PDB file of all heavy atoms in Angstrom:
ATOM      1  N   GLY A 127     -14.644   7.311  -8.930  1.00  0.00           N
ATOM      2  CA  GLY A 127     -14.181   8.532  -8.299  1.00  0.00           C
ATOM      3  C   GLY A 127     -12.672   8.634  -8.302  1.00  0.00           C
ATOM      4  O   GLY A 127     -11.958   7.738  -8.746  1.00  0.00           O
ATOM      5  N   ARG A 128     -12.239   9.743  -7.801  1.00  0.00           N
ATOM      6  CA  ARG A 128     -10.810  10.031  -7.737  1.00  0.00           C
ATOM      7  C   ARG A 128     -10.472  10.456  -6.322  1.00  0.00           C
ATOM      8  O   ARG A 128     -11.244  11.159  -5.674  1.00  0.00           O
ATOM      9  CB  ARG A 128     -10.472  11.153  -8.715  1.00  0.00           C
ATOM     10  CG  ARG A 128      -9.005  11.511  -8.743  1.00  0.00           C
ATOM     11  CD  ARG A 128      -8.722  12.647  -9.724  1.00  0.00           C
ATOM     12  NE  ARG A 128      -7.313  12.654 -10.040  1.00  0.00           N
ATOM     13  CZ  ARG A 128      -6.814  12.765 -11.260  1.00  0.00           C
ATOM     14  NH1 ARG A 128      -7.622  12.905 -12.288  1.00  0.00           N
ATOM     15  NH2 ARG A 128      -5.523  12.750 -11.458  1.00  0.00           N
ATOM     16  N   TYR A 129      -9.301  10.049  -5.868  1.00  0.00           N
ATOM     17  CA  TYR A 129      -8.762  10.563  -4.619  1.00  0.00           C
ATOM     18  C   TYR A 129      -7.354  11.044  -4.926  1.00  0.00           C
ATOM     19  O   TYR A 129      -6.494  10.244  -5.319  1.00  0.00           O
ATOM     20  CB  TYR A 129      -8.742   9.504  -3.513  1.00  0.00           C
ATOM     21  CG  TYR A 129      -8.203  10.069  -2.229  1.00  0.00           C
ATOM     22  CD1 TYR A 129      -8.975  10.934  -1.461  1.00  0.00           C
ATOM     23  CD2 TYR A 129      -6.907   9.798  -1.819  1.00  0.00           C
ATOM     24  CE1 TYR A 129      -8.477  11.500  -0.300  1.00  0.00           C
ATOM     25  CE2 TYR A 129      -6.403  10.357  -0.644  1.00  0.00           C
ATOM     26  CZ  TYR A 129      -7.187  11.212   0.096  1.00  0.00           C
ATOM     27  OH  TYR A 129      -6.693  11.777   1.240  1.00  0.00           O
ATOM     28  N   LYS A 130      -7.151  12.335  -4.774  1.00  0.00           N
ATOM     29  CA  LYS A 130      -5.889  12.974  -5.112  1.00  0.00           C
ATOM     30  C   LYS A 130      -5.471  12.578  -6.526  1.00  0.00           C
ATOM     31  O   LYS A 130      -6.167  12.918  -7.472  1.00  0.00           O
ATOM     32  CB  LYS A 130      -4.818  12.687  -4.057  1.00  0.00           C
ATOM     33  CG  LYS A 130      -5.144  13.295  -2.700  1.00  0.00           C
ATOM     34  CD  LYS A 130      -4.015  13.155  -1.723  1.00  0.00           C
ATOM     35  CE  LYS A 130      -4.368  13.819  -0.403  1.00  0.00           C
ATOM     36  NZ  LYS A 130      -3.261  13.726   0.538  1.00  0.00           N
ATOM     37  N   SER A 131      -4.386  11.813  -6.687  1.00  0.00           N
ATOM     38  CA  SER A 131      -3.893  11.493  -8.034  1.00  0.00           C
ATOM     39  C   SER A 131      -4.456  10.202  -8.620  1.00  0.00           C
ATOM     40  O   SER A 131      -4.265   9.942  -9.795  1.00  0.00           O
ATOM     41  CB  SER A 131      -2.366  11.379  -8.010  1.00  0.00           C
ATOM     42  OG  SER A 131      -1.792  12.595  -7.630  1.00  0.00           O
ATOM     43  N   HIS A 132      -5.108   9.377  -7.794  1.00  0.00           N
ATOM     44  CA  HIS A 132      -5.547   8.056  -8.267  1.00  0.00           C
ATOM     45  C   HIS A 132      -7.025   8.024  -8.638  1.00  0.00           C
ATOM     46  O   HIS A 132      -7.870   8.540  -7.901  1.00  0.00           O
ATOM     47  CB  HIS A 132      -5.283   6.993  -7.197  1.00  0.00           C
ATOM     48  CG  HIS A 132      -3.857   6.609  -7.095  1.00  0.00           C
ATOM     49  ND1 HIS A 132      -2.995   7.170  -6.185  1.00  0.00           N
ATOM     50  CD2 HIS A 132      -3.125   5.715  -7.796  1.00  0.00           C
ATOM     51  CE1 HIS A 132      -1.789   6.641  -6.330  1.00  0.00           C
ATOM     52  NE2 HIS A 132      -1.839   5.756  -7.302  1.00  0.00           N
ATOM     53  N   CYS A 133      -7.317   7.389  -9.761  1.00  0.00           N
ATOM     54  CA  CYS A 133      -8.684   7.134 -10.208  1.00  0.00           C
ATOM     55  C   CYS A 133      -9.019   5.688  -9.861  1.00  0.00           C
ATOM     56  O   CYS A 133      -8.174   4.799 -10.006  1.00  0.00           O
ATOM     57  CB  CYS A 133      -8.788   7.311 -11.720  1.00  0.00           C
ATOM     58  SG  CYS A 133      -8.271   8.943 -12.290  1.00  0.00           S
ATOM     59  N   PHE A 134     -10.265   5.445  -9.452  1.00  0.00           N
ATOM     60  CA  PHE A 134     -10.694   4.115  -9.037  1.00  0.00           C
ATOM     61  C   PHE A 134     -11.821   3.623  -9.941  1.00  0.00           C
ATOM     62  O   PHE A 134     -12.691   4.401 -10.345  1.00  0.00           O
ATOM     63  CB  PHE A 134     -11.156   4.141  -7.575  1.00  0.00           C
ATOM     64  CG  PHE A 134     -10.018   4.388  -6.634  1.00  0.00           C
ATOM     65  CD1 PHE A 134      -9.611   5.676  -6.336  1.00  0.00           C
ATOM     66  CD2 PHE A 134      -9.324   3.330  -6.069  1.00  0.00           C
ATOM     67  CE1 PHE A 134      -8.539   5.906  -5.492  1.00  0.00           C
ATOM     68  CE2 PHE A 134      -8.247   3.551  -5.224  1.00  0.00           C
ATOM     69  CZ  PHE A 134      -7.860   4.836  -4.938  1.00  0.00           C
ATOM     70  N   TYR A 135     -11.793   2.314 -10.226  1.00  0.00           N
ATOM     71  CA  TYR A 135     -12.739   1.690 -11.156  1.00  0.00           C
ATOM     72  C   TYR A 135     -13.309   0.420 -10.548  1.00  0.00           C
ATOM     73  O   TYR A 135     -12.566  -0.401 -10.010  1.00  0.00           O
ATOM     74  CB  TYR A 135     -12.033   1.389 -12.486  1.00  0.00           C
ATOM     75  CG  TYR A 135     -11.603   2.662 -13.151  1.00  0.00           C
ATOM     76  CD1 TYR A 135     -10.409   3.282 -12.816  1.00  0.00           C
ATOM     77  CD2 TYR A 135     -12.429   3.292 -14.067  1.00  0.00           C
ATOM     78  CE1 TYR A 135     -10.035   4.487 -13.373  1.00  0.00           C
ATOM     79  CE2 TYR A 135     -12.060   4.499 -14.639  1.00  0.00           C
ATOM     80  CZ  TYR A 135     -10.870   5.095 -14.287  1.00  0.00           C
ATOM     81  OH  TYR A 135     -10.514   6.289 -14.852  1.00  0.00           O
ATOM     82  N   SER A 136     -14.637   0.287 -10.643  1.00  0.00           N
ATOM     83  CA  SER A 136     -15.324  -0.828 -10.002  1.00  0.00           C
ATOM     84  C   SER A 136     -16.196  -1.586 -10.983  1.00  0.00           C
ATOM     85  O   SER A 136     -16.832  -0.981 -11.844  1.00  0.00           O
ATOM     86  CB  SER A 136     -16.214  -0.315  -8.864  1.00  0.00           C
ATOM     87  OG  SER A 136     -15.450   0.371  -7.910  1.00  0.00           O
ATOM     88  N   PRO A 137     -16.266  -2.909 -10.811  1.00  0.00           N
ATOM     89  CA  PRO A 137     -17.175  -3.706 -11.632  1.00  0.00           C
ATOM     90  C   PRO A 137     -18.605  -3.584 -11.101  1.00  0.00           C
ATOM     91  O   PRO A 137     -18.826  -3.131  -9.988  1.00  0.00           O
ATOM     92  CB  PRO A 137     -16.654  -5.132 -11.425  1.00  0.00           C
ATOM     93  CG  PRO A 137     -16.135  -5.113 -10.021  1.00  0.00           C
ATOM     94  CD  PRO A 137     -15.531  -3.733  -9.862  1.00  0.00           C
ATOM     95  N   THR A 138     -19.547  -4.040 -11.889  1.00  0.00           N
ATOM     96  CA  THR A 138     -20.931  -4.073 -11.414  1.00  0.00           C
ATOM     97  C   THR A 138     -21.082  -5.219 -10.421  1.00  0.00           C
ATOM     98  O   THR A 138     -20.291  -6.171 -10.424  1.00  0.00           O
ATOM     99  CB  THR A 138     -21.916  -4.289 -12.579  1.00  0.00           C
ATOM    100  OG1 THR A 138     -21.674  -5.596 -13.127  1.00  0.00           O
ATOM    101  CG2 THR A 138     -21.771  -3.212 -13.652  1.00  0.00           C
ATOM    102  N   GLU A 139     -22.117  -5.153  -9.596  1.00  0.00           N
ATOM    103  CA  GLU A 139     -22.399  -6.239  -8.663  1.00  0.00           C
ATOM    104  C   GLU A 139     -22.735  -7.513  -9.431  1.00  0.00           C
ATOM    105  O   GLU A 139     -22.451  -8.614  -8.963  1.00  0.00           O
ATOM    106  CB  GLU A 139     -23.519  -5.848  -7.712  1.00  0.00           C
ATOM    107  CG  GLU A 139     -23.049  -4.888  -6.656  1.00  0.00           C
ATOM    108  CD  GLU A 139     -24.071  -4.665  -5.575  1.00  0.00           C
ATOM    109  OE1 GLU A 139     -24.711  -5.638  -5.126  1.00  0.00           O
ATOM    110  OE2 GLU A 139     -24.227  -3.500  -5.171  1.00  0.00           O
ATOM    111  N   GLN A 140     -23.330  -7.347 -10.613  1.00  0.00           N
ATOM    112  CA  GLN A 140     -23.647  -8.495 -11.457  1.00  0.00           C
ATOM    113  C   GLN A 140     -22.377  -9.236 -11.893  1.00  0.00           C
ATOM    114  O   GLN A 140     -22.322 -10.450 -11.882  1.00  0.00           O
ATOM    115  CB  GLN A 140     -24.382  -8.014 -12.719  1.00  0.00           C
ATOM    116  CG  GLN A 140     -25.703  -8.666 -12.937  1.00  0.00           C
ATOM    117  CD  GLN A 140     -26.362  -8.040 -14.165  1.00  0.00           C
ATOM    118  OE1 GLN A 140     -26.212  -6.857 -14.467  1.00  0.00           O
ATOM    119  NE2 GLN A 140     -27.067  -8.872 -14.890  1.00  0.00           N
ATOM    120  N   ASP A 141     -21.353  -8.483 -12.284  1.00  0.00           N
ATOM    121  CA  ASP A 141     -20.103  -9.069 -12.747  1.00  0.00           C
ATOM    122  C   ASP A 141     -19.273  -9.649 -11.603  1.00  0.00           C
ATOM    123  O   ASP A 141     -18.575 -10.640 -11.790  1.00  0.00           O
ATOM    124  CB  ASP A 141     -19.247  -8.048 -13.502  1.00  0.00           C
ATOM    125  CG  ASP A 141     -19.787  -7.735 -14.880  1.00  0.00           C
ATOM    126  OD1 ASP A 141     -20.533  -8.555 -15.449  1.00  0.00           O
ATOM    127  OD2 ASP A 141     -19.462  -6.640 -15.388  1.00  0.00           O
TER     128      ASP A 141
END
Side-chain angles (χ1 to χ4, degrees):
R128 181 181 199 134
Y129 181 74
K130 295 187 178 182
S131 298
H132 284 95
C133 303
F134 292 86
Y135 296 84
S136 301
T138 65
E139 285 190 42
Q140 236 176 327
D141 286 337

